[in-house]
Amino acid sequence: MDGAPISVFPAAIPDGDQRERHTKQLALRATGEPLDAESRMYNGHSKMTRAGFKPFLCLSAVLLALPLAAPLQAQTSPATTAPAQPQQAQPAQTPADATPAAQNPPQNQAQDNSQYTITQQVNEVDLVFTVTDRHGRFIRDLKQSDFALLDDQKAPERVYSFTQQTNLPLRLGVLIDTSTSIHTRFAFEQQAAKEFLLQILKPASDKAFVMGFDVTPDYKTAWSNNLDTLSTGIDSLRPGGGTALFDAVYSACRDRLLASRGQEPVRKAMVLISDGDDNQSHAYLDDAIKECQRAETIVYAISTNVSPSRDRGDDVLQKIAEETGGRAFFPKNISDMPISFEAIQDELRSQYALVYKPADFKADGAFRPIYLFCLDRRYSVRVRKGYFAPK
């Protein structure tokens, strides 16, 4: 049977009565006569059988080797463009509650060119990630075709840009635990944090804020690119009280980082200096992590626990960092804290940036998991676990 499709399911091979119907189909097709109802039913069953295995074949071939979209191509997708229908002209609407994870596109309706300019937004996800080898060294020279991505278990509809060692503007929150438990090493932590900001912040494009926390969050600065202002904010912190770590992380994301993006994409990160113990929060650990994911913020945690054994607080810091695509550091001595800050600096200079349009996007407020990996299995990708779609 030359030209007949090959089925991957053994059950799709005709047998007995089915073989007779199959032969009848081929005869009718050869003569050009229409199929009877019974043959159409069998034909439909065969197609569905073959189609049932298609997702498994497609999934194995999901790659990011998609052509980068030109600005004009980003507005519409040829596969989904429908014929224009006459309708009453209305101005394009702007979504009121779009978030950094994805933006809702307004309906593209017919416009009077003499009165309106047609604009259209697209659903975009800005993904920042790092790649390391088995020894933790950063890999900086990979290409887009070296990665595979699934967003909510689907390949992206379109990739807009892919950048190595991105220089996107940085929005950085520095959160310092001021509870009584870290009193003896607090001055050293302050000095290390100030030196870190001096090294990492580019005043022309970057901004940061400083927060201390014990039982309540204490914002010492607003967003600022002034290093003197930020250093003064760190110096003004005073230790004492309990620890409401989850409340502090939740508040920083909700009140600062969630609203920190303007028209252009930015990198958002949080440096969290704490022993990880929480005894005062109203929020739970999962609440804090989800708010970081809503704010698209990577968390780098530095533990102040210098005891020989690892405790529950260290596990908390590890979980927050992993779920947001960041990293947790556990210095053996307080004097090693500058080494942790240097590692964070190195990572922030080694990040890739990927902007894409997810497939079958729905603005329903649901969490959309992300699975990004390198085709060279010697390398590991560190990226956030997903994001929340807007409502």
Side-chain angles (χ1 to χ4, degrees):
M1 294 186 298
D2 295 338
I6 300 175
S7 173
V8 295
F9 281 143
I13 300 175
D15 185 31
D17 293 338
Q18 291 183 350
R19 183 181 292 110
E20 181 179 349
R21 289 193 297 269
H22 184 65
T23 304
K24 181 179 179 181
Q25 272 192 55
L26 295 178
L28 290 173
R29 286 173 177 166
T31 59
E33 296 180 13
L35 299 177
D36 57 24
E38 185 181 21
S39 296
R40 286 196 302 271
M41 182 180 300
Y42 172 77
N43 186 45
H45 169 74
S46 180
K47 287 182 178 179
M48 288 189 292
T49 305
R50 295 192 298 271
F53 197 70
K54 183 181 287 186
F56 296 92
L57 297 177
C58 294
L59 183 59
S60 64
V62 173
L63 299 179
L64 282 178
L66 302 175
L68 299 183
L72 291 178
Q73 292 173 325
Q75 294 183 1
T76 59
S77 174
T80 58
T81 303
Q85 299 294 333
Q87 53 184 329
Q88 184 177 357
Q90 295 180 0
Q93 299 176 351
T94 301
D97 58 349
T99 66
Q103 297 178 350
N104 296 329
Q107 294 181 354
N108 188 15
Q109 298 177 329
Q111 304 291 338
D112 184 349
N113 291 334
S114 63
Q115 298 181 13
Y116 303 105
T117 299
I118 299 177
T119 60
Q120 185 177 16
Q121 295 178 337
V122 293
N123 305 316
E124 290 184 6
V125 177
D126 303 325
L127 203 57
V128 176
F129 60 95
T130 53
V131 182
T132 59
D133 63 14
R134 295 172 182 173
H135 302 286
R137 293 186 291 258
F138 295 107
I139 307 300
R140 300 179 174 92
D141 57 353
L142 298 177
K143 300 178 176 61
Q144 177 182 322
S145 57
D146 292 322
F147 298 94
L149 170 67
L150 292 177
D151 180 304
D152 199 24
Q153 302 181 23
K154 301 178 183 67
E157 180 176 322
R158 185 184 297 269
V159 174
Y160 294 116
S161 66
F162 176 85
T163 310
Q164 301 167 329
Q165 300 184 53
T166 178
N167 289 317
L168 286 174
L170 179 64
R171 298 294 178 264
L172 179 68
V174 179
L175 276 63
I176 302 178
D177 188 341
T178 61
S179 61
T180 305
S181 61
I182 51 87
H183 183 275
T184 58
R185 48 194 182 272
F186 187 65
F188 190 86
E189 294 173 10
Q190 287 176 299
Q191 184 61 33
K194 289 190 295 183
E195 292 178 359
F196 168 71
L197 285 175
L198 183 63
Q199 294 294 325
I200 196 62
L201 213 64
K202 299 177 181 177
S205 59
D206 302 338
K207 292 182 180 180
F209 70 88
V210 174
M211 173 204 282
F213 64 92
D214 44 31
V215 295
T216 57
D218 182 13
Y219 291 98
K220 290 301 183 182
T221 72
W223 286 111
S224 177
N225 60 355
N226 188 307
L227 292 171
D228 290 336
T229 299
L230 296 169
S231 295
T232 300
I234 293 175
D235 285 335
S236 67
L237 294 171
R238 297 291 181 268
T243 309
L245 169 65
F246 306 150
D247 286 353
V249 172
Y250 186 95
S251 175
C253 289
R254 180 194 62 192
D255 300 335
R256 291 289 191 273
L257 290 157
L258 189 60
S260 64
R261 176 178 173 178
Q263 295 297 320
E264 298 298 327
V266 296
R267 293 177 296 160
K268 292 188 283 187
M270 177 191 300
V271 175
L272 176 61
I273 306 170
S274 174
D275 58 10
D277 292 329
D278 189 304
N279 52 27
Q280 295 287 335
S281 283
H282 298 285
Y284 293 100
L285 173 59
D286 286 346
D287 298 328
I289 292 174
K290 288 179 180 179
E291 200 64 15
C292 290
Q293 291 169 336
R294 289 189 180 94
E296 297 182 305
T297 297
I298 301 172
V299 179
Y300 299 99
I302 301 178
S303 174
T304 58
N305 172 30
V306 292
S307 63
S309 60
R310 182 163 171 165
D311 61 15
R312 179 181 176 277
D314 293 332
D315 294 335
V316 168
L317 297 178
Q318 183 75 43
K319 183 174 178 60
I320 294 174
E322 286 183 352
E323 293 293 323
T324 60
R327 186 178 173 191
F329 300 86
F330 304 97
K332 295 181 179 179
N333 301 293
I334 194 65
S335 58
D336 294 334
M337 185 173 287
I339 299 176
S340 301
F341 278 116
E342 289 175 6
I344 296 173
Q345 293 179 42
D346 194 18
E347 178 153 342
L348 290 172
R349 295 191 182 104
S350 307
Q351 292 174 320
Y352 294 86
L354 173 67
V355 183
Y356 68 91
K357 179 179 181 180
D360 299 332
F361 181 81
K362 296 179 182 178
D364 54 4
F367 183 77
R368 295 176 65 95
I370 291 173
Y371 180 52
L372 175 68
F373 66 94
C374 186
L375 299 179
D376 188 333
R377 305 310 285 174
R378 296 175 301 169
Y379 303 143
S380 299
V381 177
R382 189 155 53 242
V383 66
R384 57 193 164 105
K385 303 296 184 181
Y387 64 95
F388 284 90
K391 289 184 179 180

